[in-house]
Amino acid sequence: MRITSIVGARPQFVKLAPVARALAGLCDHRIIHTGQHYDSVMSDVFFVELDIPRPDHHCGVGSASHGAQTGRMLESLERLLQDDRPDAVIVYGDTNSTLAAALAATKLHVPVVHLEAGLRSFDRSMPEEINRVMTDHTADLCLAPTLGAMANLATEGLGARSLLVGDVMTDILFEVRDALDAATTPAAPFGGAPFTLATLHRPANTDSPERLREIVRGLSGQDRPTLLLAHPRLVAKAAEAGVRLDVGNITVREPVGYRDLVRLVLSSSGVVTDSGGLQKEAFLLRRPCVTVRSDTEWTETVDLGWNALVGERPSDIPSALSSLSAPDTQETPYGDGRAAQRTAEAVLEFVA
Ligand code: UD1
């Protein structure tokens, strides 16, 4: 049995790691990398650190507008899938690579499994929302991370082809956290003083100079230092708009690999982000998080008191972070760390 995983962007490499491990030895598992992310800090470091097998094919599409990027992927993936003829493809998350892979496969009558199905922000201005809705409706099997995602799929008439497996990012997060060796943990930045860890990359936040300026002002308004791990989109857009990022007590660094990210979250006092994955990772590592968006797909983090949304008023970043109640909780809305195992079983059973 041949199963092909198609990935291309940073969060997908993280999701692929535990799934590739769970599928190893059970089928002929191949990997196609679209090339959406190509810098070593955005791609290679994840394959090396998380021990993901080298991709069997690399489409090398690179950056472009949405239409051009997705179109290039479609053309390249169609050719590769025609040659490889897998029994099913697995597509991950909500990026342009996810949508292109789902479309390319389904048009060739190759069954599509969507992992991390059913998440909704209900904000149709987000490219990811369009990608995930289209992919869920294209997929033959929707594997959902949460009960909320299952409910969304049922509401859209997709209940019969949906299955709850849990969140595979939780699997890998717990694994990496548990393997962190105190001896190799680098000294905390800022000499061990309390700090905020921040990331920012959503077009809605980076592509308007006014909005970006407001967020930077909010970040620098905190009374403790901020370490801003700057995604290439943020760096490019800030330079274009003449917005300085390293103002006040903000220190700017390149993005880091997954292990260093987990270490930094653990040594931080709190997180400010617009990333879906990082909101959830902050919760799972029990660090309060402020999300610079008006909505979230990971609503459990907000309901449980660990995440606050400040999309409407980024100037509220400091007050929101300091007033989060972050109560003790035993809730496990994202599963028990065995989602990849269930994913592998579900995929194999589906294909068989
Ligand atoms: C993409 C996903 C987003 C995901 C994010 C994680 C879509 C629509 N968005 O957003 O859901 O949360 O990845 O990072 O698929 N760039 C580089 N080097 C790289 C990659 C990107 O310099 O290796 C720069 C390019 O200037 C590019 C910009 O970043 O134009 C944006 O890249 P792109 O992949 O289009 O979207 P992301 O913002 O990374």
Side-chain angles (χ1 to χ4, degrees), residues 13-288:
F13 311 140
V14 178
K15 301 184 224 291
L16 169 62
V19 173
R21 209 165 312 151
L23 285 173
L26 300 178
C27 63
D28 174 12
H29 180 226
R30 303 203 176 172
I31 296 172
I32 300 179
H33 189 318
T34 64
Q36 176 170 354
H37 285 173
Y38 44 86
D39 286 345
S40 70
V41 291
M42 298 292 287
S43 174
D44 304 354
V45 67
F46 293 89
F47 281 82
V48 173
E49 247 188 22
L50 301 178
D51 212 12
I52 305 171
R54 277 172 63 92
D56 298 276
H57 303 286
H58 199 293
C59 307
V61 297
S63 303
S65 65
H66 284 268
Q69 188 180 55
T70 312
R72 280 179 206 158
M73 289 177 194
L74 264 174
E75 194 175 353
S76 176
L77 289 171
E78 183 175 66
R79 221 175 15 246
L80 291 171
L81 292 175
Q82 262 165 342
D83 290 348
D84 261 13
R85 281 279 153 202
D87 294 297
V89 300
I90 310 178
V91 303
Y92 299 73
D94 57 16
T95 74
N96 290 343
S97 298
T98 316
L99 177 61
L103 266 179
T106 202
K107 295 268 179 161
L108 294 171
H109 309 296
V110 175
V112 174
V113 179
H114 184 204
L115 184 61
E116 209 179 74
L119 294 178
R120 297 289 181 269
S121 65
F122 303 103
D123 172 2
R124 286 177 64 87
S125 69
M126 278 178 79
E128 293 82 1
E129 180 75 356
I130 305 300
N131 290 341
R132 53 173 94 96
V133 170
M134 304 270 291
T135 303
D136 282 340
H137 285 258
T138 303
D140 299 279
L141 177 64
C142 291
L143 298 180
T146 61
L147 285 167
M150 284 296 282
N152 291 334
L153 290 163
T155 303
E156 293 176 28
L158 302 176
R161 55 174 117 139
S162 303
L163 195 68
L164 178 67
V165 290
D167 173 44
V168 297
M169 289 180 93
T170 299
D171 298 18
I172 189 76
L173 176 68
F174 287 168
E175 190 186 313
V176 167
R177 178 200 62 189
D178 295 346
L180 280 185
D181 177 356
T184 59
T185 302
F190 310 111
F195 74 99
T196 299
L197 183 68
T199 76
L200 215 57
H201 76 279
R202 299 249 165 237
N205 286 332
T206 58
D207 294 9
S208 144
E210 267 324 296
R211 168 97 183 152
L212 183 55
R213 244 180 233 114
E214 213 187 323
I215 296 171
V216 172
R217 227 176 289 132
L219 271 179
S220 65
Q222 300 177 87
D223 56 9
R224 61 189 185 212
T226 291
L227 182 65
L228 174 60
L229 301 177
H231 186 286
R233 166 191 287 281
L234 171 63
V235 175
K237 293 295 175 183
E240 232 172 73
V243 177
R244 272 195 64 180
L245 299 173
D246 59 342
V247 291
N249 51 12
I250 302 178
T251 298
V252 181
R253 290 277 179 275
E254 274 203 331
V256 294
Y258 191 69
R259 222 178 295 146
D260 281 342
L261 181 79
V262 174
R263 283 189 180 118
L264 283 169
V265 173
L266 282 170
S267 57
S268 76
S269 308
V271 170
V272 176
T273 190
D274 59 6
S275 148
L278 188 51
Q279 288 168 50
K280 186 173 24 111
E281 284 151 357
F283 165 73
L284 292 166
L285 297 171
R286 297 295 188 265
R287 292 294 177 277

